[in-house]
Amino acid sequence: MKKRIYLSAPHMSGKEINYINEAFETNWIAPLGPNVDAFEKEIANYVGVSEAVAVSSGTAAIHLALSLLDVKKGDQVFCSSLTFVASANPILYQGAEPVFIDSEPETWNMSPQALEIAFKEAFIDGRMPKAVIVVNLYGQSAKMDEIVSLCNQYDVPIIEDAAESLGSTYKGKASGTFGKFGVFSFNGNKIITTSSGGMLVSNDVEALKKARFLATQAKDPALHYQHSTIGFNYRMSNILAGIGRAQLEVLEERVQARRLLFDRYTQELSSIPGIKFMPELNQTQSNRWLTVLTIEEKVTGTSIHSILNTLAEENIEARPVWKPLHMQPLFEGVKYYSHSENINVSEHLFNTGLCLPSGSNMTEEDQMRVIKCVKELIKIEV
């Protein structure tokens, strides 16, 4: 069998073992400790915010953000539709109702045009959202100037889901720092990993102090175990935080490696009629977590499903673009605002979008193997 090529495999630097050994030698293996404290400070410094809270997942970070904003049963939360379900599940945890917003073509992220329509209708109905969850898809920042302006106009806080965009920038400012809260993920497939884990960041120090309280089962300051509010078991372990510290040291290298992969894909495939790559908005830099493209079947003569099947036969892992949440059975009947009356961007991207292997430890030989498969299927001379 041919060598397996993964979509986005973990990429260890080798330095992680030093932090892990230190945790073992000092017996700091619980969900607290020096590595947790240091990792929080290092992430906060890297993205340029006041503080950060290390948690068990990006999903946990979103859930904490919603809890801190007092989102509860009967409330509405606007959320990007073209994203993984983890962006919206915490809305349901709180008993609130998601309202999904379409993407727009220039970033594939939340459409300010659709968001404005949703805000206007919510204002007329007298039922404004408690928060807006904006997702930075595949490393590309949304149009944050327009989105922040709209949210400020209606006085609605932003939770910036930057789970996929650590290391990306928008007009020189770090992704994840434009909202009331920012969220990062360190899942095994992300640009840096702690195996599993996430981070909640903010300039609101008091809010993050409460986040730590909620994330450690909301234990009251008493000698005995006393609890006056619902808490969660969401803190990151000292061992995993140590892995994260070593990973953060090589983040810039990982970003450059993935951008190089993207450049090679575009050099080899962008001239093929019917293939278009995910754009990079002017004055932004995407970490290119995944290289993503669209394939127009009528032009290329092949579909994304044909390419996925062919790659799978070659032991190459690839994926379709996220299925929009408004199309998921879980959210059947949920309100959704499209980019325009005649254009549904997220559905089009789902029907035509393909994620190619993009791991920062991928060799040029392996990448050319992927490229050759795509070209052969579209019958381009290689």
Side-chain angles (χ1 to χ4, degrees):
M1 180 180 287
K2 292 183 179 179
K3 174 188 173 184
R4 178 70 165 167
I5 298 177
Y6 292 96
L7 182 70
S8 181
H11 188 181
M12 297 292 101
S13 69
K15 299 178 182 179
E16 293 82 5
I17 194 66
N18 298 326
Y19 292 99
I20 294 170
N21 285 340
E22 183 182 354
F24 273 91
E25 288 166 3
T26 58
N27 207 31
W28 279 107
I29 60 171
L32 75 168
N35 281 332
V36 174
D37 295 342
F39 190 34
E40 289 174 342
K41 287 183 174 65
E42 287 158 6
I43 285 286
N45 289 338
Y46 177 81
V47 299
V49 295
S50 298
E51 282 198 24
V53 176
V55 291
S56 55
S57 67
T59 312
I62 294 173
H63 189 197
L64 287 170
L66 292 171
S67 298
L68 292 167
L69 294 174
D70 194 33
V71 172
K72 53 188 180 298
K73 186 175 181 180
D75 289 336
Q76 287 191 148
V77 176
F78 291 175
C79 180
S80 300
S81 184
L82 189 64
T83 181
F84 184 48
V85 71
S87 300
N89 268 340
I91 301 171
L92 302 185
Y93 300 166
Q94 294 298 100
E97 301 171 19
V99 173
F100 293 121
I101 311 297
D102 195 10
S103 299
E104 49 78 27
E106 291 183 288
T107 65
W108 296 16
N109 288 312
M110 182 178 281
S111 164
Q113 186 172 313
L115 179 63
E116 184 173 18
I117 295 169
F119 267 132
K120 285 180 177 177
E121 289 194 10
F123 183 78
I124 292 169
D125 293 342
R127 196 174 176 218
M128 296 297 291
K130 271 288 192 70
V132 173
I133 299 176
V134 180
V135 180
N136 297 327
L137 198 68
Y138 301 124
Q140 170 61 51
S141 291
K143 292 183 174 178
M144 294 310 299
D145 279 354
E146 293 91 330
I147 291 169
V148 168
S149 177
L150 279 167
C151 290
N152 286 344
Q153 179 183 338
Y154 289 97
D155 196 26
V156 176
I158 293 173
I159 299 170
E160 190 180 356
D161 182 349
E164 302 172 1
S165 61
L166 180 64
S168 301
T169 59
Y170 177 92
K171 297 186 177 180
K173 188 176 178 181
S175 179
T177 64
F178 289 84
K180 173 75 172 178
F181 298 105
V183 171
F184 298 109
S185 170
F186 307 117
N187 189 36
N189 64 359
K190 295 301 185 291
I191 195 159
I192 65 169
T193 183
T194 58
S195 175
S196 64
M199 194 75 73
L200 181 68
V201 303
S202 180
N203 287 315
D204 189 334
V205 175
E206 286 303 309
L208 291 191
K209 182 179 179 181
K210 186 176 180 181
R212 288 191 180 89
F213 168 73
L214 293 173
T216 48
Q217 299 289 18
K219 182 180 179 294
D220 292 339
L223 181 63
H224 53 279
Y225 289 96
Q226 179 168 299
H227 307 272
S228 304
T229 189
I230 295 173
F232 314 101
N233 184 17
Y234 279 169
R235 286 293 259 156
M236 182 183 285
S237 84
N238 196 55
I239 296 172
L240 298 190
I243 296 173
R245 294 184 68 191
Q247 288 274 288
L248 185 60
E249 291 174 7
V250 294
L251 173 57
E252 292 302 316
E253 295 174 27
R254 301 296 185 253
V255 171
Q256 292 310 310
R258 295 203 186 223
R259 288 182 63 84
L260 179 61
L261 286 168
F262 178 88
D263 290 344
R264 192 177 293 128
Y265 275 128
T266 56
Q267 181 180 346
E268 294 289 338
L269 299 174
S270 61
S271 62
I272 300 173
I275 287 183
K276 292 183 179 179
F277 285 82
M278 184 180 190
E280 186 172 62
L281 190 68
N282 187 37
Q283 292 185 279
T284 71
Q285 177 175 284
S286 169
N287 66 14
R288 295 298 186 189
W289 171 55
L290 293 183
T291 291
V292 192
L293 52 82
T294 57
I295 296 174
E296 296 294 342
E297 185 173 357
K298 290 181 180 179
V299 180
T300 62
T302 190
S303 67
I304 61 167
H305 300 291
S306 296
I307 293 178
L308 285 167
N309 290 336
T310 299
L311 292 175
E313 289 169 2
E314 293 293 321
N315 207 21
I316 297 170
E317 183 183 21
R319 287 283 186 271
V321 165
W322 299 120
K323 182 176 183 179
L325 297 183
H326 73 273
M327 298 174 66
Q328 299 283 358
L330 175 63
F331 298 109
E332 186 176 357
V334 169
K335 193 177 292 185
Y336 167 70
Y337 291 88
S338 61
H339 179 61
S340 69
E341 188 175 342
N342 301 315
I343 302 176
N344 194 311
V345 175
S346 59
E347 290 186 18
H348 176 73
L349 291 172
F350 170 61
N351 290 326
T352 61
L354 176 69
C355 305
L356 293 175
S358 308
S360 52
N361 52 1
M362 187 180 184
T363 66
E364 183 175 353
E365 180 183 2
D366 286 344
Q367 187 179 12
M368 293 308 297
R369 190 176 131 207
V370 176
I371 290 166
K372 182 180 178 182
C373 286
V374 174
K375 285 184 174 180
E376 285 180 346
L377 188 61
I378 305 175
K379 296 182 175 56
I380 299 296
E381 188 175 326
V382 292

